[in-house]
Amino acid sequence: MNTPDHGVRSDGPVVALVPAAGRGVRLGESIPKAFVTVGGTPMVRLAVEGLIASGVVDRIIVMVPTELVDSAVALLPPSGSVQVVVGGAERIDSVRAGVAAAPDAAYFLVHDAARALTPPELIARVVAELRTGHRAVIPGLPVTDTIKAVDPTGTVTGTPDRAQLRAIQTPQGFAAELLRSAYAAEGVQATDDAGLVERFGVQVRTIPGDPMAFKITTRLDLVLANAVLDGAGIQAVAP
Ligand code: CTP
Ligand code: MG
């Protein structure tokens, strides 16, 4: 991949896995979310372009719904370094398919297509931190809402100290062996990839995230993303 050099050591391929096989139920469009356009470009293409622009990714594997493999190949940048594979029923199944497709990876980045506006600079920071020897690196932002724990009836059971909470984004970076082991375990379940490796007792390092790495989940998120790309006076601001 012909990309700028951010000065990190290259001691093994960095493979980015892009889960793009979700249906986008909460967004409610007629096509799977990763194929919905933002500023005229499908989210999955924006996410892949961001990874390429970071200059720290050697190969990209995109996981899509089975019926959209050909469409994905057609709309992604024509590069020998970008590969499309079939995803699975749950996000975890899609990531597992990506892990299996990259036996040569030294590092994995797992990066949601739905975080289409993620700045390349954030991607480069995750990889730089991996290269310093951290085996699991995830970006996060302080939470601005107060978070309550509730029981199934909706009664509050606790209020965790907000200062100790982070809203976690992607890309999440891992030493490849660690992520392989996490996905090889039986009955794995977690809402993010770091959640899987935490079970191994491995320290997961957080680094500052970026507001522009927000996940496009709802209609409101899509409006925001389009406004950002329209240059509607919305700039990335430090948290
Ligand atoms: N994803 C995936 N395979 C799945 C489910 C999700 O690759 N079976 C991907 C999505 O395409 C998205 C990312 O994982 O890029 C984050 O998931 P989410 O935001 O939940 O997207 P969807 O699952 O598509 O949305 P929803 O949950 O509203 O249906
Ligand atoms: Mg989902």
Side-chain angles (χ1 to χ4, degrees), residues 50-82:
L51 288 162
I52 293 172
S54 75
V56 296
V57 175
D58 296 300
R59 212 142 60 73
I60 301 171
I61 299 175
V62 184
M63 294 79 78
V64 303
T66 185
E67 74 280 8
L68 288 175
V69 169
D70 291 346
S71 319
V73 169
L75 66 81
L76 288 171
S79 159
S81 303
V82 181

Side-chain angles (χ1 to χ4, degrees), residues 25-39:
V25 171
R26 288 169 290 181
L27 189 61
E29 292 280 330
S30 57
I31 57 171
K33 181 166 76 178
F35 295 78
V36 172
T37 59
V38 178

